[in-house]
Amino acid sequence: MKKAMKAEMVVLDRGHLDPVSVRRAGKILLAGGLVAFPTETVYGLGGNALDPDASRRIYAAKGRPSDNPLIVHIADLEALPLLTREIPDAARKAAESFWPGPLTMILPKSDKVPYETTGGLDTVAVRMPSDPLALALIRAGGGYVAAPSANTSGRPSPTTASHVAEDLGDSIDMILDGGQVEIGLESTIVDFTVPVPTILRPGYYHPDRLAKVLGDVRIDPGLLSQDSGIRPKAPGMRYRHYAPKAELTIVEGRPENVTEAIRRLCEKAEKEGKKAGILASQENAGSYDRGVLKVVGSLAREETIARKLYEVLREFDETGVDVIYSEAFHTPQIGQAVMNRLLKAAGHRVMRV
Ligand code: TXA
Ligand code: MG
């Protein structure tokens, strides 16, 4: 049975934003309420970032640990100084080149940002999204919108309004439906509070592209290896995340070996009375003749894989599969970010063939 839905669903057209709906959504934010909205990366769950009660409500709605800080979304560069004690030169350069867009910057926080929003930290995460619908909502809502991904904590991030409704429909006030998001994976997070800008979460912007503008860029050592014992610096990267209900294993190797191994693994699972799922690229899909097959996208058009990954992980939950075998998707630009999310979803279970 479907749960009763509390949230009002408002469909908006990016080309012709209905000002009345946008204003109404903004008023909800100004009054301390919660509005989910699309960004170019994933849907966010918005609340007034300067209101500690709104941040508390966000944590409660998501079931999120309160030490995992929120990203503050702004719509104009002039909004930035209020949030930070200092804007390092590198951060200024990054803002010029990558905002509006899928980049989140970690900066020293000002007194205006409540600790409820930063999970107790003295730094604040800031992002200026490019989605016109998001920008309109941020402006209507007072200019500072705290927004984590609009999923229940631990589930894959939402890339459509119906994913948001599934997870949060009975605990928030409004959902702005702007259709499917463009990118499908969360923003690249870069820490500017250290001498060399450091990537805390891989995303759409590849490290090389950041380095072209910033010079030296590092990657948080806590991201690189699971068994190094180094904890990732972004609290959210320490949690198990994006996980489907079934046990997911990534099978890596030459394409012929991978498809052969996945076919055998499915056969074995079925003999044991288990229902098996396969997460495959368009290019290899024709090689499978058993199991519940989901095609995530094409290796030749890597953006299609990023866009569909979370949706496909959610779909597997509806099919009742017990195990999922996934190909690896090491594509040139966004492959790092895709594999980071997929490895987390798999609890780092990888089989090399
Ligand atoms: O693309 C995105 O960034 C989306 C859309 C809605 O903008 N938002 C998003 O938020 O992914 P969330 O809350 O799901 O992830 C925020 C991540 C978490 O891993 C959190 O730990 C990290 O950012 N973070 C936030 N503030 C931080 C800080 N001050 N220092 C280090 N990490 C921080
Ligand atoms: Mg999230």
Side-chain angles (χ1 to χ4, degrees):
M1 217 180 66
K2 275 217 149 134
K3 278 187 283 187
M5 183 146 126
K6 174 192 160 201
E8 186 188 348
M9 183 78 92
V10 176
V11 180
L12 282 178
D13 174 357
R14 260 181 208 81
H16 309 270
L17 286 178
D18 167 28
V20 177
S21 302
V22 172
R23 217 174 302 131
R24 222 150 43 79
K27 277 200 179 136
I28 293 176
L29 292 178
L30 290 168
L34 303 184
V35 177
F37 62 101
T39 77
E40 70 278 20
T41 58
V42 299
Y43 273 74
L45 171 57
N48 180 356
L50 305 181
D51 174 357
D53 289 330
S55 291
R56 278 191 211 105
R57 271 183 217 118
I58 290 176
Y59 287 107
K62 279 183 62 93
R64 173 170 176 141
S66 62
D67 64 348
N68 188 4
L70 307 175
I71 297 174
V72 181
H73 294 66
I74 57 175
D76 302 280
L77 215 45
E78 295 74 59
L80 185 58
L82 181 113
L83 298 174
T84 63
R85 269 183 282 122
E86 188 208 331
I87 307 171
D89 285 342
R92 250 176 238 289
K93 271 199 215 160
E96 270 167 33
S97 300
F98 302 112
W99 277 359
L103 171 73
T104 295
M105 299 205 235
I106 308 296
L107 299 166
K109 94 170 187 68
S110 74
D111 294 340
K112 294 282 190 310
V113 186
Y115 282 113
E116 282 77 1
T117 301
T118 67
L121 298 177
D122 283 310
T123 54
V124 60
V126 191
R127 167 161 124 77
M128 189 194 296
S130 62
D131 187 321
L133 209 162
L135 294 170
L137 176 72
I138 295 164
R139 292 194 181 108
Y144 299 94
V145 175
S149 51
N151 51 287
T152 306
S153 194
R155 290 208 79 197
S157 296
T159 54
T160 68
S162 66
H163 297 161
V164 180
E166 239 170 69
D167 284 14
L168 303 174
D170 56 355
S171 51
I172 66 176
D173 301 298
M174 187 183 264
I175 302 172
L176 298 181
D177 180 353
Q180 190 173 39
V181 299
E182 190 189 319
I183 294 174
L185 295 180
E186 303 86 344
S187 59
T188 307
I189 301 179
V190 180
D191 186 359
F192 287 94
T193 66
V194 287
V196 179
T198 301
I199 296 176
L200 304 188
R201 178 175 73 182
Y204 178 80
Y205 289 128
H206 189 277
D208 292 348
R209 195 159 156 200
L210 296 168
K212 268 201 190 117
V213 169
L214 300 174
D216 208 5
V217 173
R218 290 203 184 133
I219 296 175
D220 178 12
L223 289 183
L224 295 177
S225 110
Q226 194 44 17
D227 35 23
S228 66
I230 306 172
R231 271 158 50 102
K233 189 167 178 189
M237 299 303 279
R238 296 172 198 150
Y239 299 106
R240 184 179 152 84
H241 212 198
Y242 318 112
K245 289 174 194 152
E247 184 185 274
L248 171 65
T249 304
I250 300 168
V251 183
E252 233 171 9
R254 297 233 312 266
E256 329 68 272
N257 295 351
V258 167
T259 52
E260 177 60 24
I262 289 181
R263 274 164 40 201
R264 288 227 179 104
L265 287 163
C266 286
E267 192 179 339
K268 182 164 168 281
E270 283 166 10
K271 278 204 184 115
E272 291 166 3
K274 291 184 195 155
K275 195 167 168 187
I278 302 172
L279 186 53
S281 59
Q282 186 80 60
E283 283 79 355
N284 293 337
S287 310
Y288 302 110
D289 52 0
R290 58 175 73 234
V292 178
L293 176 67
K294 299 266 179 203
V295 177
V296 63
S298 159
L299 293 167
R301 292 180 52 225
E302 53 178 326
E303 71 282 3
T304 59
I305 294 178
R307 198 175 294 143
K308 272 296 264 294
L309 179 67
Y310 288 146
E311 179 165 339
V312 168
L313 291 177
R314 277 177 183 261
E315 280 173 12
F316 270 124
D317 284 349
E318 323 257 276
T319 62
V321 293
D322 303 292
V323 288
I324 303 168
Y325 299 106
S326 177
E327 298 172 1
F329 309 102
H330 294 286
T331 57
Q333 295 306 318
I334 207 171
Q336 259 185 24
V338 168
M339 290 309 293
N340 169 270
R341 309 308 193 270
L342 196 59
L343 279 161
K344 289 192 83 181
H348 290 265
R349 244 185 320 275
V350 180
M351 186 184 275
R352 294 208 165 71
V353 295

